[in-house]
Amino acid sequence: MNLTTKVLIGMAAGLAIGLLINLTGLNAEGSFVNEYLVNGFFLVVGKMFVNALKMLVVPLVFFSLICGVCGIGDIRLLGRIGTKSFALYMLTTAIAIATAIAIAGGIGIGEGMNISSDANFTGKDAPPLSQVLIDIIPTNPVSAMANGEMLAIIFFAILTGVSILMVGKKAKSLVANIELLNEVMMKMVTIVMSVAPYAVFCLLAKAIADLGLDLFWQLIGYVVVLVGTLLFHLFFTLQAVLVLFSRLSPTKFLRKIRNAQVFAFSTSSSNATIPVTLRTVTERMGVDNSVASFTVPFGATINMDGTAIMQGVATVFIANIYGVDLGIAGYLTVILMSVLASIGTAGVPGVGLIMLSMVFAQVGLPLEGIGLILGVDRLLDMIRTAVNVSGDAVVSTVVAKSEGKLSLAVYDDPNAGILDPESTHIDEESEKELADTVSAIHDK
Ligand code: ASP
């Protein structure tokens, strides 16, 4: 059985067990199941796994991006990849939110509804664009890495790569070593991914046992329209972009992206999923590392199609509930704000709500409105993160294809890059050889 199948089984089992615990009330405060299983075993295993993924992000992005820049070897090409991916990320996000507003507005969700908000939501200001631009340049690269500031890390890695290129021949061995480090990091991704079926089971069992589906029925209109629009974007808009710009097969894409989607779904974080997305687009889809090492972490930070859709649907929903008519100008502001807000915010769980509060403040919708959808947001976050990550992969593929940096042989091969048990196997002969070399160095 391959890893994707195993992970999908883990996911389904986690959903089922979580729902069972929730529906039978086994999860009551202080009960054995609650203390030792849901908030014990499931929580610990799930968090350890997410930590392991996050642990890989910074070194992986740093090393692979330096390799990427050195691999391109042409600064102008780097500029082109940057411009193209930025334009496509903004375009897909804008289409996403416009579709969401059109669908939700056309259906008129929330009209004539009168539900009271019981949760208090306090918004947080998203940083202004000027600050986002300033922060791209880190005052201290080490602290940027420690805090996982993705745009700053990308900037520093690119600058390092460009400087290595300028040093030229003398830096050859350095590049070879960084390439090796990159390979080692990729191996680590494989190791972490191999425990995913069990970890995904724990993550989902915990989430569903805590949340249940009660609230969903109350907000069913919102949930259905949102999920419907997310699926429309994933299966129609993104695939149309793929076909239109690169003439690649959407079915192959959809089959190969599944792993990254499941990781995104289980962790609700595009950032934590970077290692898996990177592996998926390079090894399963054939995107050259020189493109993917830039477009994937860049996309995880600035591209959030699913989140933009949530903002569009939520804005229409809450405007209708409060009887506010935003008008065309209001909705255009919403589109612009969402696109801008997505640039400065990292792909971490729940950040979409913070972006929403920024949009609401701009168009004058009451922040308490967000309290209405708070209860169902955790699960919807999982779905929209999967869409966010799919958008990153589509753009990476399109940009790579347009620059002749996509291997069609890999893209067309259904088995390319599939993780099999062999991939974490230690080859005894090479292990011994390496040990001998190390002891020889010691003896010297
Ligand atoms: N969790 C999402 C992501 O990481 C962001 C959000 O919509 O809250 O992409």
Side-chain angles (χ1 to χ4, degrees), residues 2 11 41 80 87 99 109 113 158 202 262 268 272 392 439 441:
N2 69 36
M11 195 169 130
F41 188 71
R80 269 215 311 275
T99 320
I109 49 158
M113 235 174 122
I158 292 181
C202 292
V262 173
S268 291
D392 302 343
S439 50
I441 295 172

Side-chain angles (χ1 to χ4, degrees), residues 80-98:
R80 269 215 311 275
I81 292 174
T83 319
K84 276 188 193 170
S85 52
F86 183 75
L88 276 173
Y89 281 143
M90 293 300 103
L91 178 76
T92 48
T93 308
I95 297 177
I97 184 158

Side-chain angles (χ1 to χ4, degrees), residues 3 17 97 124 171 174 210 216 234 271 307 309 319 329 348-349 380 399 435:
L3 184 84
I17 297 287
I97 184 158
K124 213 168 103 188
L174 178 63
D210 281 348
F216 277 86
L234 171 64
N271 264 26
T307 307
I309 289 173
V348 292
L380 295 172
V399 173

Side-chain angles (χ1 to χ4, degrees), residues 204-225:
L204 282 181
K206 153 99 180 114
I208 307 292
D210 281 348
L211 296 168
L213 298 173
D214 281 1
L215 268 171
F216 277 86
W217 301 120
Q218 283 175 34
L219 290 169
I220 190 81
Y222 171 71
V223 173
V224 168
V225 173

Side-chain angles (χ1 to χ4, degrees), residues 352-424:
L353 284 184
I354 294 170
M355 290 156 71
L356 189 63
S357 68
M358 187 185 157
V359 173
F360 275 23
Q362 192 73 26
V363 291
L365 278 176
L367 270 194
E368 307 88 80
I370 298 179
L372 291 176
I373 52 170
L374 205 59
V376 288
D377 197 68
R378 176 73 183 81
L379 255 170
L380 295 172
D381 191 6
M382 299 165 102
I383 307 176
R384 66 177 185 253
T385 308
V387 175
N388 289 348
V389 165
S390 310
D392 302 343
V394 165
V395 171
S396 303
T397 317
V398 168
V399 173
K401 176 85 190 324
S402 75
E403 292 294 342
K405 299 265 178 204
L406 181 106
S407 156
L408 278 178
V410 175
Y411 189 89
D412 288 334
D413 175 6
N415 296 323
I418 278 194
L419 259 188
D420 56 36
E422 282 296 299
S423 56
T424 45

Side-chain angles (χ1 to χ4, degrees), residues 2 4 56 94 105 125 128 130 136 145 228 237 244 257 305 366 382 388 409 441 444:
N2 69 36
T4 311
L56 305 177
D125 288 339
S130 53
I136 289 179
M145 288 186 195
T237 314
L244 216 66
I257 190 68
D305 296 356
M382 299 165 102
N388 289 348
I441 295 172
K444 248 193 191 170

